[in-house]
Amino acid sequence: MHSLYPPGLEQHIGKHKLQLPSPSLCISLPVVEKNVRKLHENVAAAGVNFRAHVKTNKVSRMLLGELSTKVAVSTIREAQGLEDLIAEGVVNDLLYGVPICPSVLPSLDKLSTKVCTRLLVDHIDHISLLSRFIRCEQNERKPWSVFIKLDTGSRRAGLPLHSADLQSLIHAAEKAPNVDIYGFYGYAARTANEWEAGQAEDVLQTHISAVLQAARLVSDPTKPLVLAIGSSITARVLRPLKERLAANLTLEIVAGTAIYNDLQQLATCTIDSSQLAMSVIAEICSVYGDRNEALINAGVLALTREPGEINGIARVRDHAKQGWVVGRVSQEHGILVYTGRDRQDATDVWKIGDKVELDVQHTCIVGAMHGWHFVTDQDGIVRDIYFPWKWW
């Protein structure tokens, strides 16, 4: 029988995660399932729409569940990976979540013959680009459906609420015969170093107010609009809306990494360590007593170099070795350093060949670095292997 896995991978099914070759990425399925239940409960109780961001989470069926048929992607490859779910009707609404550029339009035009496809725009030239593009025959009379991206403080994509460019963009989109404003999209990024309890709720309310203000800039006050807020952090603190939305407005929460979680999420005080589903298994390659450090075989390519408010590129999960973090990385290896209060000697703690489980700073990026994800049960035994939609 032909194996579903690349040669040799299937031999690891049934093994404990600490028996895996290193470095390896592991996903705890029970923790993912618990996180999904909590996310769905929050969204349902708040009475808002949900769009699943599948940039990292290749467990799309689980993330959508019975709650939604809407997704957001960051690459064309991710959209292509959803073809089976689109064909089955599990996914019927897709947002390409990066402001458009000319090279992606042919693929997105083709995709929109199979599923309702929405674009992200934040520049007036995006409207000119869409107006000049000659759509395929099936779409020649179909307008492009767009979210207008707001910059709500993250200084990533988007326009500030009070920018003259935002008003010009809205006006151009309203005039264009082949563009329809579907709504506004704001991303609730981290805006402080270490958040205090309750700060995420304040951030959520700030972003709700922002998208509501943006909706008032549209010339037709009765036009149906979807007001989307992207952030796993704020998805966890959803409450029934304080504002009473007008009948033509719908609030939509976009979240994905809330089902995996990471140290950046932990620093916001919206989760605890038991909700960290992703980890990387590495191995001790050498120990340096004179500088109290140890060398592991996981560097930038396994962990990335993503910073965070919690100290370290990654953190040792073992409570008995609390305080050890990956302090420095190069391409192929990392350096474990001790940051705890009491004295721990590397030569006492670590031996060459020890396996070490690491909590990561940012699951979105770390997940994309690995060709396959080992899926474990509550005992850490590998039960399945998931393959991410890599590249673009």
Side-chain angles (χ1 to χ4, degrees), residues 124-176:
I124 195 169
D125 286 352
H126 287 144
I127 306 305
S128 300
L129 175 62
L130 294 175
S131 297
R132 293 194 305 268
F133 184 82
I134 300 175
R135 305 200 69 175
C136 67
E137 185 176 354
Q138 292 172 265
N139 291 331
E140 61 181 354
R141 293 179 179 166
K142 184 191 298 184
W144 293 99
S145 177
V146 303
F147 275 103
I148 293 178
K149 182 69 169 64
L150 303 177
D151 176 6
T152 48
S154 64
R155 299 184 68 183
R156 304 203 312 182
L159 292 172
L161 184 63
H162 301 295
S163 166
D165 290 338
L166 176 61
Q167 187 65 73
S168 297
L169 173 59
I170 293 171
H171 182 65
E174 289 179 326
K175 287 180 59 180

Side-chain angles (χ1 to χ4, degrees), residues 5 16 21 31 58 63 113 124 128 133 144 169 247 250 310 334 337 340 372 388:
Y5 309 125
H16 190 272
V31 176
K58 314 313 172 186
L63 184 55
T113 65
I124 195 169
S128 300
F133 184 82
W144 293 99
L169 173 59
T250 301
I310 292 177
V337 302
W372 46 83

Side-chain angles (χ1 to χ4, degrees), residues 122-260:
D122 68 356
H123 195 285
I124 195 169
D125 286 352
H126 287 144
I127 306 305
S128 300
L129 175 62
L130 294 175
S131 297
R132 293 194 305 268
F133 184 82
I134 300 175
R135 305 200 69 175
C136 67
E137 185 176 354
Q138 292 172 265
N139 291 331
E140 61 181 354
R141 293 179 179 166
K142 184 191 298 184
W144 293 99
S145 177
V146 303
F147 275 103
I148 293 178
K149 182 69 169 64
L150 303 177
D151 176 6
T152 48
S154 64
R155 299 184 68 183
R156 304 203 312 182
L159 292 172
L161 184 63
H162 301 295
S163 166
D165 290 338
L166 176 61
Q167 187 65 73
S168 297
L169 173 59
I170 293 171
H171 182 65
E174 289 179 326
K175 287 180 59 180
N178 65 334
V179 174
D180 177 61
I181 300 175
Y182 182 68
F184 293 89
Y185 187 112
Y187 179 75
R190 294 173 293 123
T191 55
N193 288 334
E194 286 201 56
W195 289 19
E196 297 177 357
Q199 187 170 348
E201 294 186 25
D202 295 337
V203 171
L204 173 62
Q205 290 302 321
T206 297
H207 285 75
I208 290 174
S209 297
V211 292
L212 285 171
Q213 290 181 63
R216 299 188 189 107
L217 300 177
V218 174
S219 60
D220 180 1
T222 65
K223 177 177 174 57
L225 293 171
V226 173
L227 309 179
I229 298 173
S231 172
S232 290
I233 299 167
T234 49
R236 296 193 197 93
V237 295
L238 281 172
R239 301 289 184 272
L241 288 179
K242 293 179 182 179
E243 293 88 353
R244 184 180 179 87
L245 292 180
N248 62 310
L249 302 179
T250 301
L251 186 65
E252 180 173 282
I253 292 294
V254 187
T257 196
I259 71 168
Y260 282 171

